[in-house]
Amino acid sequence: MPVGNEQGERMRKFKNRGKDVAAMRRQRVEVNIELRKAKKDEQILKRRSISITPLEENSACQEKKEIIQLSLEEIVEAVNGSNTELQLQATQATRRMLSRQRDPPLSQIIELGIIPRLVEFLTRADNAPLQFEAAWALTNIASGTSDHTRAVVEGGAIPAFVSLLSSPHMHISEQSVWALGNIAGDGPLYRDALINCNVIPPLLALVSPVTPVGFLRNITWTLSNLCRNKNPYPPLDAVKKMLPVLICLIQHEDKEIISDSCWALSYLTDGSNDRIQIVVDTGILPRLVELMADTELIVLTPALRAIGNVVTGTDDQTQAAIDAGVLAVLPCLLRHTKPTIQKEAAWALSNIAAGPCRQIQQLITCGLLPPLVELLEKGDFKAQKEAVWAVANFTTGGTVEQVVELVQSGVLKPLLNLLSAKDSKTILVILDTIANLFLAAEKLGETERLCLLVEELDGLEKIEALQTHDNNMVYRAALSIIEKYFAGEESTDLQPGSDQDGQLDFSVEKQDFNF
Amino acid sequence: VRIVTCTNILKLLLFLQRVLLLVASDVDALCACKILQALFQCDHVQYTLVPVSGWQELETAFLEHKDQFKYFVLINCGANVDLLEILQPEEDVLFFVCDSHRPINVVNVYNETQIKLLVKQDDDLDVPAYDDIFRDEEDEDDDSENESDGSEPSEKRRRFEEDVIERTMRRRQKREWEARRREILFDYEQYEYHGTSSAMVMFDLAWIMSKDLNDMLWWAIVGLTDQWVQDKITQMKYVTDIGILQRHVSRHNHRNEDEENSLSIDCMRIAFEYDLRLALYQHWSLYESLCNTSYTSACLKLWSVQGQKRLQEFLADMGLPLKQVKQKFNSMDISLKENLREMIEESANKFGMKDLRVQTFSIHFGFKNKFLASDIVYATTSLMENIEKEGPETDNFIKALDSLSRSNLDKLHQGLDLAKKQLRAIQQTVASCICTNLVISQGPFLYCSLMEGTPDVKLFSKPVSLCLLSKYLLKSFVCSTKNKRCKLLPLVMAAPMDVEQGTVIMVGIPPETESSDKKNFFGRAFEKAAESTNSRTLHNHFDMSIIELKTEDRSKFLDALISLLS
């Protein structure tokens, strides 16, 4: 049966967190970023309707007269020479070029072939300025594309940076943290290369009550990169080493540190159930839920993401999130002004609704139905789609009584309205949901009432219209509902004593369940 | 600075499907509107005309029509505020702004996508350079942008040159830049003044496209004359523009001169004149005109007994019998009229009126009707601010607009009658203000307030009439006072506006000096004074130097204005 298949696919997508969810989510995030960028470019274009001679930054150059300008040839010569004074000048000149705002010459510097020398300078414990300049230059090269990062790694920078973490000079160890963060951020391969080089113990050792905030931010970000990426996930023992420190950092008062810690936890929970379990076991869920209520997006977004990941887990893991109070903060987030937040919150809710009926009951008790209906009515379309899933899951796993309550909360009208959506996937889910509602109505002998209700809300018209839909599955699902419940007067006349009528007699509680 | 390519804009305008015309209530705007209507008509452009007397009406009209229209033409309104800011239009809405109000708001100048300014190429706008007042957002949102919106942290990050030092330096530079920007904008926006008449700009566009007609030329002349009558432009600017129009006049009316005898009844001919600056004298009596023209009335000090005596002496000097002078000009002896202008000028020189003759233009409709450009201005203004009939404001506007067509001579004559009443009312009010010492020095400016119950006070609740009154009063006051310091002061004038709502209308005008640049600083000053006292004011007029305020707030508002300008 097509309906059954649909359902199975949906369940797989939600409870079992196939790759689809992750892929879908990532895709959504990327689209957002692109849109924002496009909008910003547009604004700039708009402002720049007048042609202006490009502003050259001559003034900036003139102001710093002490800066020595070196040609690329001079740099190569000095770096490869033996005069330490010239080495420092050349390295500094290189670093300056690499840290200017516009068009840093990453590839040109790599082509000079001086990376192995710069890596060698990292080991000059007697010459801290040289170490620092080289570390900064290499950091910036590693901040480029994968090719750029590879050039730094293949120059032997990983062990050199790892040992510099323990440098007695704080600015040098901080610069090394930054460089290692760039290397870890390149992907799982270099991330694991760093872990195998034993980067974690010296990195964690830098976290102390006296570490300056700026430094801690760098460390947290690098840690988050060490937790980041799948295929494969970071090694379990590495995760277990980092977690206690992350749990500690997430209690910090600095928003950026909290944010990056949350992101780290969101990466760690974006995996199989046993990965989620490790995070749940730390007892951090209440803190994450608390952060979901933060007013600042940089905090609330990753906290919501992490909790959203947790509720994709087992019923027990979902229960842990419920126990941590997630249902109390979700209403606010469903009504958040930012569409992406609405959407993520609805996604989390849909996964809770996919749970056993006792969790569905908690969802009702905590007052999630009104904001859900509101979202269906006037939320952002992507959020509406997630809300549709939440309703669908609810009708699949909820008891008849719970389904009645859902209908009584006014879900039917916005749900039927969404049948005019362009997206056939969403339409199918809604039709499934309607079929589920009729199943419940049948059990109560309230089919006719539901029919009437659907008709009153112009739902019948919409379902009938879908019989001409291009999508075959939509067409069949619509047809099936029409045939089953809206077959018309003649069929009713032909079957006067169907078991519908019979059940109606049995239904004692009919009055209580007023659809 | 960006220069608008006029031809392209006009071509674009004529190519548009449906256009909404928003036209301010001044004669120059009406004339520009007439020219544009004629252009639209011959190119079959559909348009809707909505008169707007102030910002509130402009906003309402825009809101009402923004769903049906994408193209808006604004005449003598809109240039001096940030239109996009106050109207919040959709991105595909286009504004064509033809407005003599200066300074033009800088955003309007630099937003080429939605705002098309119609400006004469040789108008000196003195707009600040783009880089001095706008800065790319890019420079500003250096570090926080990505993080604050909750997106995922970047995978890699580059460390920039001396983050901390650089950032503080950049911040300092930004602060300096902002201070400079404020200074530049202050200098730019401090004074309000007027650029080339909108009717002339519109005519220029028509001419560039070879679509100009003699009627359009006449409207351009009336538009310019309106600026002169309302004292909006300098004498120099007036003479220069007269010269420009004179070339067009001889081009258009050259042919007719040979065939003067064949002039038919519906024929029109425009001629350059070096005529008397006596208001409406050819449609009045010479005597009435002398009494009710600001220039002669002020120079002869007609509000005093000595002044009246001087007038008699002046008339005697010319050798004109009083009976002739007091009867309708049309009925005066032809022999007297022949050398009238020269005679009057000669005597006027003796009485210290050296500028009684001015360069202007006249129009002949057929044989009978001849008008000076200023006649039309006075008549149209009076129709526009007619207070005799209650009814929707737009009636007056449409009547005034119609009176500009040569087929509506009856409306024009009606306007002339109203204009005479208006000029008389102004002169009487000026005389009573001066005789009862209502003009008082407040230190930095002169102040005069009309009481409720003053005769004709209702007329002066209208902005153009009030402005004319203020200007005539200041001229007369300067002639009447012996206090040298007072002669150099600007004037603030207030009149009751709406008795039920308890509001007054207030206008500020620049000092009356010979070399006056006609620049007005009261717009800004009013704004500041209202802000600092929390006065309930309304800057509804397109001229920022006209303000409406609650009567109870007047004294604290004035106190603030005095201390602001001291």
Side-chain angles (χ1 to χ4, degrees), chain B residues 276 290 295-296 299-300 314 317-318 341-357:
Chain B
L276 298 167
L290 278 167
Y295 182 69
T296 45
C299 288
L300 297 169
F314 174 62
D317 189 81
M318 284 187 288
R341 296 183 212 170
E342 285 73 21
M343 278 162 57
I344 294 184
E345 193 182 17
E346 214 186 297
S347 298
N349 277 335
K350 289 188 209 158
F351 283 77
M353 297 183 286
K354 297 203 163 54
D355 302 314
L356 198 58
R357 289 182 76 173

Side-chain angles (χ1 to χ4, degrees), chain B residues 219-311:
Chain B
W219 290 321
I221 288 168
V222 175
L224 168 63
T225 310
D226 179 51
Q227 288 193 314
W228 179 71
V229 168
Q230 308 292 340
D231 218 12
K232 284 178 176 169
I233 49 171
T234 62
Q235 189 63 25
M236 175 93 117
K237 170 77 175 155
Y238 175 68
V239 172
T240 311
D241 286 353
I242 283 280
I244 293 169
L245 289 174
Q246 197 181 348
R247 284 193 287 280
H248 289 297
V249 166
S250 48
R251 185 167 56 84
H252 269 278
N253 296 274
H254 170 254
R255 211 171 355 113
N256 288 349
E257 254 165 43
D258 308 330
E259 309 155 18
E260 201 163 351
N261 296 330
S262 65
L263 262 177
S264 68
I265 200 89
D266 53 309
C267 213
M268 68 175 271
R269 194 168 61 86
I270 303 172
F272 174 77
E273 304 274 354
Y274 188 51
D275 211 320
L276 298 167
R277 81 194 279 180
L278 294 178
L280 307 173
Y281 79 96
Q282 299 182 37
H283 311 275
W284 219 344
S285 72
L286 203 53
Y287 184 81
E288 287 272 20
S289 178
L290 278 167
C291 289
N292 293 300
T293 296
S294 159
Y295 182 69
T296 45
S297 155
C299 288
L300 297 169
K301 301 179 192 163
L302 291 184
W303 52 85
S304 63
V305 181
Q306 288 96 328
Q308 289 296 330
K309 240 171 88 186
R310 245 187 315 273
L311 175 62

